[in-house]
Short mmCIF file of all heavy atoms in Angstrom, two decimals:
data_model
loop_
_atom_site.label_atom_id
_atom_site.label_comp_id
_atom_site.label_asym_id
_atom_site.label_seq_id
_atom_site.Cartn_x
_atom_site.Cartn_y
_atom_site.Cartn_z
N VAL Z 554 24.85 -6.87 -36.19
CA VAL Z 554 24.98 -5.51 -36.76
C VAL Z 554 25.49 -4.56 -35.68
O VAL Z 554 26.49 -3.83 -35.86
CB VAL Z 554 23.59 -5.03 -37.29
CG1 VAL Z 554 23.64 -3.54 -37.61
CG2 VAL Z 554 23.19 -5.85 -38.51
N LEU Z 555 24.86 -4.62 -34.50
CA LEU Z 555 25.26 -3.67 -33.45
C LEU Z 555 26.69 -3.97 -32.97
O LEU Z 555 27.46 -3.06 -32.67
CB LEU Z 555 24.26 -3.78 -32.27
CG LEU Z 555 22.86 -3.17 -32.58
CD1 LEU Z 555 21.93 -3.38 -31.39
CD2 LEU Z 555 23.01 -1.68 -32.89
N PHE Z 556 26.99 -5.27 -32.94
CA PHE Z 556 28.32 -5.66 -32.47
C PHE Z 556 29.40 -5.05 -33.36
O PHE Z 556 30.33 -4.38 -32.88
CB PHE Z 556 28.42 -7.19 -32.47
CG PHE Z 556 29.78 -7.72 -32.07
CD1 PHE Z 556 30.17 -7.72 -30.74
CD2 PHE Z 556 30.67 -8.16 -33.05
CE1 PHE Z 556 31.42 -8.21 -30.38
CE2 PHE Z 556 31.93 -8.63 -32.68
CZ PHE Z 556 32.30 -8.65 -31.34
N VAL Z 557 29.15 -5.19 -34.66
CA VAL Z 557 30.18 -4.68 -35.59
C VAL Z 557 30.17 -3.14 -35.56
O VAL Z 557 31.21 -2.48 -35.51
CB VAL Z 557 29.87 -5.20 -37.03
CG1 VAL Z 557 30.81 -4.53 -38.02
CG2 VAL Z 557 29.99 -6.71 -37.04
N ALA Z 558 28.96 -2.60 -35.50
CA ALA Z 558 28.87 -1.13 -35.49
C ALA Z 558 29.67 -0.58 -34.30
O ALA Z 558 30.35 0.44 -34.37
CB ALA Z 558 27.41 -0.71 -35.36
N SER Z 559 29.67 -1.27 -33.18
CA SER Z 559 30.36 -0.74 -31.98
C SER Z 559 31.82 -1.15 -32.00
O SER Z 559 32.46 -1.21 -30.94
CB SER Z 559 29.69 -1.32 -30.74
OG SER Z 559 29.95 -2.73 -30.72
N GLY Z 560 32.32 -1.51 -33.17
CA GLY Z 560 33.74 -1.79 -33.25
C GLY Z 560 34.12 -3.08 -32.53
O GLY Z 560 35.19 -3.18 -31.93
N GLY Z 561 33.23 -4.02 -32.49
CA GLY Z 561 33.63 -5.32 -31.99
C GLY Z 561 33.63 -5.41 -30.47
O GLY Z 561 34.05 -6.41 -29.91
N SER Z 562 33.13 -4.41 -29.78
CA SER Z 562 33.18 -4.56 -28.30
C SER Z 562 31.82 -5.05 -27.80
O SER Z 562 31.74 -5.92 -26.95
CB SER Z 562 33.48 -3.20 -27.66
OG SER Z 562 32.28 -2.40 -27.84
N GLY Z 563 30.70 -4.54 -28.33
CA GLY Z 563 29.40 -5.10 -27.96
C GLY Z 563 28.85 -4.59 -26.64
O GLY Z 563 27.76 -4.93 -26.23
N GLY Z 564 29.60 -3.74 -25.94
CA GLY Z 564 29.07 -3.24 -24.66
C GLY Z 564 27.91 -2.27 -24.93
O GLY Z 564 27.88 -1.61 -25.98
N TYR Z 565 26.98 -2.21 -24.01
CA TYR Z 565 25.81 -1.34 -24.21
C TYR Z 565 26.30 0.10 -24.49
O TYR Z 565 25.86 0.74 -25.44
CB TYR Z 565 24.90 -1.32 -22.96
CG TYR Z 565 24.12 -2.60 -22.75
CD1 TYR Z 565 23.33 -2.79 -21.62
CD2 TYR Z 565 24.19 -3.64 -23.69
CE1 TYR Z 565 22.62 -3.97 -21.41
CE2 TYR Z 565 23.48 -4.82 -23.48
CZ TYR Z 565 22.71 -4.98 -22.33
OH TYR Z 565 22.01 -6.14 -22.13
N ALA Z 566 27.21 0.59 -23.67
CA ALA Z 566 27.64 1.99 -23.80
C ALA Z 566 28.19 2.22 -25.21
O ALA Z 566 27.78 3.13 -25.92
CB ALA Z 566 28.70 2.30 -22.74
N GLN Z 567 29.08 1.30 -25.60
CA GLN Z 567 29.68 1.47 -26.94
C GLN Z 567 28.61 1.42 -28.01
O GLN Z 567 28.59 2.19 -28.98
CB GLN Z 567 30.72 0.37 -27.20
CG GLN Z 567 32.00 0.48 -26.40
CD GLN Z 567 31.80 0.03 -24.97
OE1 GLN Z 567 30.70 -0.41 -24.59
NE2 GLN Z 567 32.82 0.16 -24.16
#
Side-chain angles (χ1 to χ4, degrees):
Chain Z
V554 168
L555 287 178
F556 177 77
V557 173
S559 66
S562 71
Y565 288 175
Q567 289 77 3

